[in-house]
Every structure is written in structure tokens, then in C-alpha cells.
Amino acid sequence: MSDDAYSSPARAYLERLALGTRELGNRRELLELASQDTPLFRVHDEIGKQSLLQDDPSSASVLRRLELAYGTAPLAPPEVLGTDKVGRVCLKTMPPIERTSIAPHPWTTSPIKRLRKGYHLRRGNLKPRVRKTQAPEAPTAPRWKMVGTMRRWTLLLLVMVQSSVAVWYMSTVLPYQGAQLLEVVELVLFALLFCWVSAGFWTALMGFFQLLKGRDKYSISGTSTGDEPIDPSARTAIVMPICNEDVNRVFAGLKATYESVQRSGNIEHFDFYVLSDSYDPDTCVAENHAWLRLCREVGGFGRIYYRRRSRRVKKKSGNIDDFCRRFGAKYRYMLVMDADSVMSGRCLTRLVQLMEANPDAGIIQSAPLAAGSNNLYARLQQFATRVYGPLFTAGLHFWQLGESHYWGHNAIIRVEPFMYYCSLAPLPGKGALSGEILSHDFVEAALMRRAGWGVWIAYDMPGSYEEMPPNLLDELQRDRRWCQGNIMNFRLFLVRGMHPVHRAVFLTGIMSYLSAPLWFLFLMLSTALLAVHTLTTPEYFTEPMQLFPRWPEWHPGRAVALFSTTLTLLFLPKILSVIVIWAKGPRYYGGAMRLGLSMVIESLISMLLAPVRMLFHTRFVLAALMGIEVKWKSPQRDFSETTWKDAFMRHGGQTVFGIIWTLFVLWLDPLFLLWLWPIVGALMLSIPVSVITSRVDLGRAAFRGRMFLIPEESNPPRELRATWRFVRNSRHQPPAPTFVQTVVDPIDNALGCAMGVARHNKSEAIESQRQTMVRQALVGGPDKMPNKEKLLVLDDPVMLSRLHYQVWDRSHQYPAWIDEAYADDPPPRFI
């Protein structure tokens, strides 16, 4: 920093302010004031045309600094940009609070404790829990309930019969037909895994018939024609919880969604809320600026709101709870979006119309389509979800009807019963499987259904979109969180009043990950069985008083038949999905031949990745059961490639294990390796497969070759095109200010002070804390300031304003703040 340029704090400050001033006349006035020998505290008084505050001089000029930056176009309407009760400038980012009591009911996960509690309630030893608010009136028994029950009994019968036949056939393959202990364990594992495969097969098969038929008598989408006017009192809040996300991508998707709702002509029925749990100070500053820019671009003041929580409890579900507690009473419905969600105005309007047409519906989940990925891995996954996903989603709807899933985003919720019944208490106990519920969506759906409202999947509704993790490692990071959450949820399996379908949902949730260690154990037992029969003498008399020997028999032909049948159950749904698309027209999938070829290649790569996922998921399950906590971080969204170093670190152990396993089986029986080769070969290739599939250039090359093509790429809807355009445009804009620049720069600081929400009453304790923190920040500089204190400064406009003044007034003594803020920007030399 040049001493000549900053010989006077007031002069340096005014020159910096003049750089950010829009109009030339105002800039000349500031430079004229800079030429005078005026103390810095008088400068703020002169700029703001207000009386001086002795303890906070720079607060007097906050409004004028904003006016200088934005010129004749005001920063925000007067009802948004105003003053608080003590006269400080305040940018109102949220509407007035209308509080509602939300009290989660404590869980009793143990049946024994529940019986004991019921006994004491009947004896009068315990008082029953009394809610402050009146319970919403539950709807009458729905007409579809009996149909759903009959369908699910049919599914259970089909799975059990098919699995029983497969287990019997498997027993004939084993040398002793299941008479030995090792073979019994093998059969039990095979039965569990085959039931899991069979359930997926019948779900996909019914989805195939539903999609091919094109009509569904019990579809929730068929209950509304789509042209009904919306009741003005049926207001809907579109809420988007975020946490340290890519700010440009978040607000690009929100802007595309908002503009789509505007075009639909129903914007008056919707309000938008960005609910931030971000704890990175620079990200928080970027969110402030992105919210303001979005509101100014689309005229969204008073309809697009932004709030950042200072107490981040219960993660996403706690964020939603906070919104409902403060603002839920204003709305009949709430639509939850993820950070990467994009939805069309037509889809949002239809969801509201369906809620209005079905007063017994508590949650309607849209079926979001994945789009917008560039990495090869993400394009493979979005191709799979787009081609095969509708089959399984339609099948789920067929079996579940109004007792279905909620995936936590792109779904509309009836607010009143959600607030009363679906607030989540922590799981009792200690350890990693207790405390805050992580995978909240399945639990909220179960509680909504327990209260009497339906949970539906609108599987045939277009206009709902999301993005996929860009590579295998990022997907596995997400799976680690989901695995922990699903295992925690299984503790609620025996909770009183849960519907059997949602008990089954908890079971399928844990089986999604428990199937991996079961599969791994099955393969290990198969290898152990081979070792036993290779290295030991066969037993011909296995029972007491046995008259005739039992000869161990291997039946390779039956093994081939059983293996082929299992592969058919696994891969037939993919073929059926392609058949549906061929029947309806494959033009937007690259044509019939490319669609079929893409399916084959995707299936082969999935076979290579399946053993890798098996080992990772086995680790995840063991880590959760051993009490190792998971870090709940936001995933990468796009353009994240796996380096060779990361691949060696994450897959190196799997590669070594695959080599050892191969050598051991080769020593025992080389012929058995023919059966095991797809498993061990995939493990040995895990490093290059993980790296290669994460490549962006390969993903783009596949797109140019019209491989793994989906309609959202070949004929993208307007909302997705707008999102991608907004993201590209944001890369050419100046980067958002950092926390340090918010403290130092006159314009950025003025906006930060206006958006501060911690506007406390006078308190000696608060005042003492402010003085201590400002002094420590000034002396230590920005590098030694912890993030927690930076967030407190961002929240408190008084502290932010005082630190801003001290940084400039004592810049000769403590230059670190100004040096870092303008490290890439030379000092101005106007005079």
C-alpha cells in the first residue's frame, strides 16, 4: 500500500467511494470533498446529511452510499428499503412474521417403552400431551385405499412365490442341496437378495403396462383438467433451502422458475423464499448480492424473499420448520425445491390445482427429470433416470397409490397438517444413529399418511427438473449421507400408528444399502464354499444312522439357468423401458439405434460400477452401525472431474482386494473365476473407470455423437434453456464481493449494513461483545478472524458499520483489511 495514496483516511475513503459512484456529478462532489482536510467522521456526516452518531459515524452515510452506487434507479422500492425502529437503514428481505406454534412429538421407538408409557397413562401416572393448536380435520377414508391394499397383497404374493421357486432351485445347485450350515446361510442370503430383485422386477413390469397403456384410472393427475381457476386464498410458498451452494446456479434456476411462473399468468398465487443455512462468509455475501440482483432484474421485491438462519439446527428439516413457524400461517401450500431444482410455471400451477381438487392429499410429489450435466458419468446417470426412471415411478404409483414416497424436493405440501404432524423430534439415545433425523423426507411422508392425508406421486407430470452428481465419488459422498439417514429411519419401523406401506418404505430404504453387504457376504460365502470343497475331504455321511452315502453334486447347467434368470429380472426392466420409448417415438433420444446402443453401453458401465458401489455401501453401513458420524455437505453440481490422485486414494484398496481375491480363486479353481470375473475384474478396473467416466470432454463428445441423449437435451424446455443461459452470463459478470470487501469497500459495506438482520435493543452485554469483537478483528486482521465471528459481523449492522469505520480511520496502524480487500486493485489516483 502506498503511503502517498493513503496519506489521509478521509481522502482515500472518498476516492474509493467515487470509484463506485454511478453519476459523474456526484463523483465530482466526492472528489471536491476529498480535496478538503476533513476528518473521516465528518465525511460520513457530510455524505449522509444526517446528525453524527458518536459510537457509529459511518452509519449516517449508509443510505446515501447506496444512492450514489445505484444512481437515479433506486436500490429497492420504499416499502423494502426503509429504516428500522432506531432509524438505521434496513433492506427488508422477509415479510412480517406471523408465528405459529410447532411442537414435535417425542419418539418412542421401543415397543416395551411404549407399552409401559400406555400403562402409566391409563393409570393416571402420566399426563397426556396437550397441543396448543387445534388439530386439522383429517379427511375421510379415501376411495382408493381398498384398491391399494389389494394391489399390495398381490405384489407380496408374487414376490414370495417367485422367490420361493428361486430359493428351491438354488438349493438344487448346491453340492449338498442346502443340508450343510454354510449352504443354509447361503440360501438365506440368496432369498433376501432375490426378494429385493423380484420386488423391483414386478414394480417395473407394472410400470411398463401403465406407460404402454397411457391411461391410469387412479392417477392423481387425472383428478384435474388443468384449466380450473385457483382460489385467491390458496397461496403457495415456493421454498428453496440452500447451504453453501453454487450461488450463481441456485439463483439462475430460481430466476428461470420465477419467469416461467410470470408467463403462466399465476404469479399472484406464489411467493418465493430462499432459506439459507450457509456458513461460509463469502458465500453468504454472494447470496445477498444475488438476491438483490434477482429482485431488481425480475421486479421480484415483495415476492422473492431471502433469509439466512443464525441458528442452524436440524439441517434442512429444521430450516423448513423455521419457515413454517414464522410464515407458514400465511400459506395453504408449500412447494419445496432443491438447490439444483428448476420447475415450470405450468407444473407449479398444476400441482396447486391438484391439491385444490384433492382435499385428502397432503403431499404430491412430482417426478423430477435429470438434465443439464456435462460429465460423462452424470450424462450416463441422467440417461438412466430419464429412460428407466419413469417405468419404476409409474410402477411405484401402481402399487402404492396415495401411500407413496416423498423425496424432499419438487413436491407440494399442505402446510397446516404438515406443521401440526410432521415436525421431527430427534431420535432418542446416543451415538450416530440418534439425534437429528437426516433423511427427513420419508419420515415426513409417513407422518402425513399416519395423520390421514394421502401422499401421491404425479409421475406423469412434466416440467420438474434437477441435476445429477457429476462423478462417481460425488455420488458416493451423497450415498454416504443417505445411507446414514435411512439406517436411522429404520428405528421408526415399529413406531405406533405408522401405515404398513411406510413401514415397508423404511425397510426398502435400508435395503437400498443393506443389500450391498448382503451381496458381498453372499459372494464371500460362495468363495468360502468353494474353498471348503476344494481343500477338504467330502463328507458322504452327514447324518447319524445314515445308511447310504450322500454324494456332493455340482450342477453347472442349473447354475447357468438360475444366473440367467436373475440377470433377466435385473435387465428386463431396461429393455422394457426402451420398448416403451420405441413405441412412443425415439426421435428425441437420438433415434432407435442410438437409444438401444446407449442402453447397452450404460448397462455395461453399470455392471462395472456395481461391485465398486457394493464395497463402498458395505463400508457405509458398517460405519453407520459402528457410530461413525457423517459430514453433511452440499454436493458438487457440475464440471467436477476425478483426478488420478483422488481415484487412487478412494479406489486403491478395492483394486488390491480384487487382485488378492482373483489370485485366491485362481489357486482354488480356475473355472470358478469365469463366474466371478465380472466382480473382481470391475474392482481391478475401478481406478481408470472412475477417472474416465468423470471426464467432461467425453460427456460432450457423447452429446455431439447423440449418445445417451434425452429429450431435455435434444429439445430442451424453455426453463432449462434459461437456466443454462443465466449460468453462462454469470460467469462473465464481476465476481461477488468477499466478506473482507464487505467490511472495507464503501458501497459493499453499505449494502451489507442494510441487509444485517441482528438489530438488537440496547444491552450492555451486547455492546461489550461488539466492542471486543471489533477490536480483535481490527488488530488480528481478516486472516485470524474465525468464520463464526465473521458471520456475527455480517448479521449485526452496528458491528459491521463500526468495523468499517475503524478499518479506514486506523488504516496506517492496521493496514491488513484494506490490503486484502484491494490486493488486485491499485489505489485510485484521482487527485
Side-chain angles (χ1 to χ4, degrees):
M1 182 174 62
S2 169
D3 291 337
D4 177 60
Y6 287 95
S7 58
S8 165
R11 173 181 171 179
Y13 185 87
L14 287 167
E15 289 179 347
R16 281 292 175 186
L17 180 57
L19 274 178
T21 299
R22 182 177 295 271
E23 297 179 1
L24 184 59
N26 291 329
R27 183 178 297 183
R28 288 172 177 166
E29 291 179 7
L30 293 174
L31 295 178
E32 182 179 349
L33 182 60
S35 64
Q36 304 172 11
D37 190 13
T38 307
L40 185 58
F41 66 89
R42 291 294 182 194
V43 165
H44 288 286
D45 194 24
E46 291 288 335
I47 296 173
K49 303 292 191 297
Q50 296 184 36
S51 58
L52 181 66
L53 297 176
Q54 295 292 339
D55 61 342
D56 186 12
S58 64
S59 65
S61 64
V62 169
L63 180 59
R64 182 56 181 162
R65 278 183 272 155
L66 293 174
E67 292 173 347
L68 291 171
Y70 290 91
T72 55
L75 176 68
E79 63 271 16
V80 176
L81 182 61
T83 56
D84 59 16
K85 58 186 177 181
V86 297
R88 293 182 181 273
V89 175
C90 178
L91 195 58
K92 299 171 185 176
T93 64
M94 293 294 281
I97 294 176
E98 189 173 335
R99 289 192 181 275
T100 304
S101 175
I102 295 181
H105 196 288
W107 299 106
T108 305
T109 57
S110 169
I112 297 175
K113 289 183 178 180
R114 191 166 66 241
L115 289 173
R116 186 186 303 131
K117 182 179 179 181
Y119 171 77
H120 287 296
L121 285 172
R122 289 191 298 272
R123 294 290 302 271
N125 299 331
L126 290 176
K127 292 183 179 180
R129 183 170 179 262
V130 179
R131 300 286 291 266
K132 294 182 180 180
T133 56
Q134 185 177 0
E137 184 178 352
T140 57
R143 66 186 186 279
W144 45 262
K145 189 172 182 180
M146 182 60 69
V147 176
T149 301
M150 294 175 60
R151 288 182 176 183
R152 288 186 289 272
W153 278 110
T154 303
L155 174 63
L156 182 62
L157 180 64
L158 290 170
V159 170
M160 295 306 296
V161 170
Q162 190 179 44
S163 300
S164 298
V165 172
V167 171
W168 169 80
Y169 201 83
M170 177 67 180
S171 68
T172 66
V173 174
L174 299 175
Y176 292 98
Q177 289 76 54
Q180 292 187 336
L181 178 61
L182 199 61
E183 293 183 349
V184 171
V185 176
E186 185 96 341
L187 287 175
V188 171
L189 291 174
F190 179 80
L192 291 173
L193 292 170
F194 198 90
C195 283
W196 179 244
V197 173
S198 178
F201 168 77
W202 290 110
T203 298
L205 188 63
M206 295 315 300
F208 170 73
F209 289 129
Q210 290 289 100
L211 295 180
L212 204 61
K213 183 173 62 175
R215 300 191 314 275
D216 186 353
K217 180 179 179 181
Y218 294 98
S219 169
I220 189 71
S221 303
T223 59
S224 167
T225 60
D227 55 1
E228 302 93 340
I230 298 177
D231 183 355
S233 62
R235 301 206 28 87
T236 301
I238 299 175
V239 298
M240 180 182 280
I242 61 174
C243 181
N244 293 336
E245 300 284 354
D246 181 343
V247 177
N248 289 330
R249 171 59 184 85
V250 167
F251 283 88
L254 186 62
K255 182 179 179 181
T257 302
Y258 185 90
E259 290 183 343
S260 182
V261 177
Q262 277 185 320
R263 291 192 298 271
S264 73
N266 293 300
I267 191 66
E268 70 275 7
H269 299 293
F270 297 92
D271 286 336
F272 293 73
Y273 289 81
V274 180
L275 307 176
S276 174
D277 266 352
S278 299
Y279 49 87
D280 177 73
D282 291 342
T283 301
C284 296
V285 172
E287 290 172 0
N288 289 346
H289 285 259
W291 170 81
L292 180 63
R293 183 173 63 249
L294 173 61
C295 290
R296 288 171 59 84
E297 288 174 349
V298 301
F301 288 108
R303 199 169 295 281
I304 302 177
Y305 300 103
Y306 169 80
R307 176 174 182 260
R308 179 169 55 82
R309 288 200 300 172
S310 56
R311 294 183 66 251
R312 299 180 299 277
V313 295
K314 293 173 60 178
K315 300 181 174 64
K316 181 179 177 180
S317 66
N319 207 349
I320 298 294
D321 280 355
D322 272 1
F323 165 80
C324 291
R325 186 178 294 110
R326 292 166 179 262
F327 311 104
K330 298 174 180 286
Y331 301 97
R332 185 179 298 178
Y333 308 117
M334 168 181 65
L335 195 140
V336 182
M337 294 178 64
D338 231 348
D340 59 354
S341 297
V342 178
M343 299 185 73
S344 69
R346 175 62 177 165
C347 179
L348 295 171
T349 301
R350 289 284 290 128
L351 288 172
V352 175
Q353 290 169 336
L354 291 177
M355 275 292 197
E356 291 285 274
N358 297 272
D360 61 340
I363 300 175
I364 300 179
Q365 171 71 62
S366 70
L369 303 175
S373 299
N374 291 282
N375 305 65
L376 177 61
Y377 181 85
R379 295 201 67 244
L380 286 166
Q381 296 306 304
Q382 74 181 19
F383 172 82
T385 58
R386 185 64 175 90
V387 174
Y388 320 138
L391 207 72
F392 287 95
T393 308
L396 279 176
H397 177 270
F398 179 85
W399 297 119
Q400 295 178 335
L401 295 181
E403 289 146 349
S404 196
H405 289 66
Y406 163 50
W407 298 322
H409 60 94
N410 293 38
I412 191 168
I413 300 172
R414 197 175 297 272
V415 173
E416 187 181 13
F418 183 87
M419 289 195 296
Y420 193 88
Y421 294 109
C422 299
S423 181
L424 304 181
L427 288 171
K430 297 181 180 179
L433 299 184
S434 60
E436 299 174 355
I437 291 178
L438 301 181
S439 294
H440 58 93
D441 37 18
F442 284 8
V443 183
E444 290 162 347
L447 294 177
M448 184 69 81
R449 185 67 195 101
R450 185 175 75 169
W453 275 265
V455 180
W456 292 86
I457 296 180
Y459 67 92
D460 52 353
M461 181 178 297
S464 178
Y465 311 101
E466 63 176 348
E467 291 181 357
M468 301 297 294
N471 57 62
L472 175 62
L473 295 183
D474 282 335
E475 183 190 78
L476 290 169
Q477 177 185 335
R478 183 192 66 179
D479 284 351
R480 173 69 179 93
R481 304 191 311 269
W482 286 1
C483 175
Q484 179 92 14
N486 279 282
I487 293 177
M488 291 177 66
N489 288 351
F490 193 68
R491 293 187 59 191
L492 306 176
F493 184 78
L494 296 177
V495 165
R496 180 180 59 86
M498 292 293 187
H499 194 279
V501 173
H502 283 103
R503 297 189 197 276
V505 168
F506 292 149
L507 182 60
T508 56
I510 193 173
M511 274 300 296
S512 300
Y513 297 95
L514 192 60
S515 59
L518 292 179
W519 183 24
F520 179 66
L521 185 58
F522 179 81
L523 293 173
M524 290 292 100
L525 286 177
S526 299
T527 307
L529 195 62
L530 173 67
V532 167
H533 288 280
T534 302
L535 302 177
T536 62
T537 303
E539 294 184 26
Y540 302 105
F541 296 90
T542 58
E543 299 177 4
M545 307 298 293
Q546 184 177 330
L547 296 178
F548 300 99
R550 173 174 291 178
W551 303 97
E553 297 181 68
W554 293 93
H555 299 281
R558 295 180 183 178
V560 171
L562 185 61
F563 182 70
S564 302
T565 302
T566 306
L567 284 182
T568 300
L569 296 184
L570 285 171
F571 290 99
L572 184 60
K574 297 188 176 187
I575 299 173
L576 294 178
S577 300
V578 172
I579 291 174
V580 170
I581 296 174
W582 280 344
K584 296 187 175 183
R587 173 187 173 189
Y588 293 121
Y589 294 85
M593 290 188 61
R594 283 190 175 89
L595 173 61
L597 182 59
S598 296
M599 184 267 291
V600 171
I601 296 174
E602 187 279 329
S603 299
L604 292 174
I605 295 178
S606 295
M607 291 175 62
L608 284 174
L609 295 176
V612 178
R613 291 195 182 101
M614 174 190 70
L615 290 189
F616 272 108
H617 288 181
T618 301
R619 280 177 45 198
F620 298 161
V621 171
L622 293 177
L625 296 177
M626 293 171 61
I628 301 175
E629 295 187 8
V630 60
K631 294 182 180 180
W632 205 264
K633 293 183 179 180
S634 298
Q636 294 288 333
R637 297 296 179 187
D638 202 359
F639 292 106
S640 177
E641 295 187 352
T642 301
T643 64
W644 286 99
K645 178 182 178 181
D646 289 339
F648 273 105
M649 291 179 61
R650 299 295 298 276
H651 300 292
Q654 296 174 345
T655 303
V656 173
F657 179 71
I659 294 172
I660 294 174
W661 195 358
T662 300
L663 295 176
F664 180 65
V665 172
L666 192 63
W667 174 64
L668 291 174
D669 185 356
L671 290 178
F672 190 78
L673 197 60
L674 296 176
W675 299 97
L676 201 62
W677 183 248
I679 308 298
V680 295
L683 294 178
M684 289 188 286
L685 292 174
S686 59
I687 292 175
V689 169
S690 183
V691 173
I692 292 172
T693 56
S694 73
R695 297 276 297 274
V696 172
D697 56 348
L698 293 179
R700 288 175 171 168
F703 173 75
R704 291 191 297 269
R706 299 180 64 78
M707 296 294 295
F708 316 116
L709 198 64
I710 60 175
E712 287 69 33
E713 290 179 323
S714 56
N715 185 30
R718 186 171 181 177
E719 291 77 18
L720 288 181
R721 294 200 308 270
T723 302
W724 302 334
R725 184 175 69 253
F726 297 150
V727 171
R728 288 195 303 269
N729 293 342
S730 67
R731 298 192 183 114
H732 302 293
Q733 294 177 352
T738 62
F739 167 77
V740 176
Q741 290 168 332
T742 301
V743 171
V744 175
D745 188 78
I747 303 299
D748 297 332
N749 176 263
L751 181 58
C753 291
M755 293 192 69
V757 294
R759 298 175 183 268
H760 306 287
N761 295 324
K762 288 187 177 181
S763 165
E764 292 184 5
I766 293 175
E767 184 61 28
S768 175
Q769 182 188 31
R770 283 171 173 165
Q771 293 176 2
T772 301
M773 287 185 61
V774 169
R775 182 170 57 254
Q776 291 176 347
L778 188 66
V779 173
D783 293 337
K784 295 184 179 180
M785 192 174 184
N787 280 357
K788 184 178 180 180
E789 293 185 6
K790 292 179 179 179
L791 294 176
L792 291 175
V793 171
L794 282 178
D795 284 340
D796 191 339
V798 177
M799 195 154 34
L800 183 59
S801 179
R802 288 180 181 176
L803 182 58
H804 174 69
Y805 178 81
Q806 293 292 338
V807 162
W808 283 99
D809 191 50
R810 305 173 70 178
S811 58
H812 291 298
Q813 188 175 359
Y814 304 109
W817 286 90
I818 293 180
D819 283 350
E820 183 168 335
Y822 300 124
D824 300 324
D825 190 5
R829 299 297 297 269
F830 290 116
I831 303 173

